[in-house]
Amino acid sequence: TNLRFDDTNPTKEDVEYVDSIKEDVKWLGFEWNQELYASDYFEQLYGWACDLIKKGLAYVDDQSQEDIRLNRGTVTKAGVNSPFRDRSVEENLDLFQRMRGGEFPDGSRVLRAKINMAHSNMLMRDPLMYRIIHAHHHRTGDDWCIYPMYDYAHGQSDSIERITHSICTLEFDVHRPLYDWFIENLKIFPSKQYEFARLNLTYTIMSKRKLLELVE
């Protein structure tokens, strides 16, 4: 078993959290095999994103966050294609490289997978893969200003590590088709996601957001 930190959002990462998690896992009596970080794979993840662009399976979208949200549709109504969905491979590659180069401000562009805006699973409606965040990362410093979304980084990190059983809680079952889609289209090691029902503690708060308020 590896202990991997999915440190894909520099504005939410803090060495204090990393150290505390390691301390608590050891306190529970568990020793992991390797300590790893999604940020170890940023270059490979970027390369694979370029591969998906070259296959016509990813594109740069200039819509605002609000427009992307509105155009996703609802559980009963299909989404609407982005006006930037049919950009050429060359234009998408150029824009994505310039995103990495720091040419554009935060929130101005994203990279999305090109799947199906009418899919019954809303997570498959052209999900975001990368966003622009000009922020210092606790491990990579200022090397990057584009960061992968968790749903993109997760399965690919598993594949790099040759993970056979990627175990998560039940609320991630709707994410599994996307997990499989990335792996299948990149033709990489086929890690598999398995969901299980978690045990909860009674008489305590389980919400990360509420716990964070208490900590702060």
Side-chain angles (χ1 to χ4, degrees):
T1 301
N2 294 339
L3 176 65
R4 183 173 72 239
F5 294 93
D6 287 293
D7 53 344
T8 54
N9 186 347
T11 64
K12 297 279 179 72
E13 308 298 339
D14 194 317
V15 177
E16 182 187 2
Y17 287 101
V18 172
D19 293 341
S20 296
I21 289 168
K22 291 195 297 189
E23 204 176 293
D24 291 346
V25 172
K26 285 180 177 175
W27 178 81
L28 287 165
F30 187 79
E31 290 290 337
W32 53 88
N33 183 40
Q34 296 181 84
E35 181 183 323
L36 301 164
Y37 296 81
S39 55
D40 295 335
Y41 314 132
F42 278 177
E43 195 65 51
Q44 177 66 80
L45 292 169
Y46 173 81
W48 278 337
C50 290
D51 289 343
L52 288 174
I53 291 173
K54 290 170 188 172
K55 290 179 178 182
L57 295 174
Y59 64 97
V60 174
D61 194 347
D62 298 3
Q63 292 183 104
S64 69
Q65 194 173 352
E66 179 65 11
D67 284 341
I68 289 173
R69 187 184 65 79
L70 290 172
N71 289 337
R72 280 182 74 212
T74 66
V75 289
T76 57
K77 180 184 168 189
V80 177
N81 283 353
S82 164
F84 305 98
R85 198 175 195 266
D86 296 321
R87 278 177 157 151
S88 68
V89 167
E90 293 72 26
E91 187 181 4
N92 281 315
L93 272 177
D94 175 61
L95 286 169
F96 189 48
Q97 287 161 1
R98 288 161 64 192
M99 282 168 62
R100 178 181 179 172
E103 200 170 314
F104 309 117
D106 290 4
S108 60
R109 288 188 160 97
V110 292
L111 183 72
R112 299 177 72 177
K114 189 188 282 189
I115 306 179
N116 180 0
M117 289 301 292
H119 202 287
S120 58
N121 183 341
M122 290 186 67
L123 290 172
M124 299 293 280
R125 295 183 185 177
D126 291 9
L128 271 60
M129 293 173 60
Y130 275 87
R131 73 282 209 209
I132 301 170
I133 304 176
H134 289 86
H136 186 81
H137 189 283
H138 76 104
R139 295 192 74 249
T140 61
D142 298 316
D143 291 348
W144 294 87
C145 60
I146 55 169
Y147 290 92
M149 303 298 289
Y150 173 79
D151 274 339
Y152 173 61
H154 180 205
Q156 281 49 259
S157 299
D158 286 344
S159 182
I160 290 168
E161 295 171 21
R162 293 292 199 267
I163 297 299
T164 53
H165 293 66
S166 183
I167 302 170
C168 58
T169 46
L170 280 178
E171 65 266 30
F172 285 96
D173 64 341
V174 292
H175 295 248
R176 187 168 6 109
L178 182 54
Y179 182 104
D180 293 340
W181 187 89
F182 282 125
I183 283 175
E184 286 163 9
N185 283 285
L186 287 168
K187 298 186 175 6
I188 53 180
F189 178 82
S191 296
K192 296 291 180 189
Q193 176 179 300
Y194 298 85
E195 303 86 23
F196 72 103
R198 69 185 183 191
L199 295 175
N200 281 334
L201 300 173
T202 52
Y203 305 110
T204 191
I205 291 169
M206 298 298 289
S207 162
K208 282 191 287 186
R209 286 183 184 84
K210 290 175 182 173
L211 285 167
L212 183 59
E213 280 187 47
L214 289 171
V215 169
E216 289 178 340

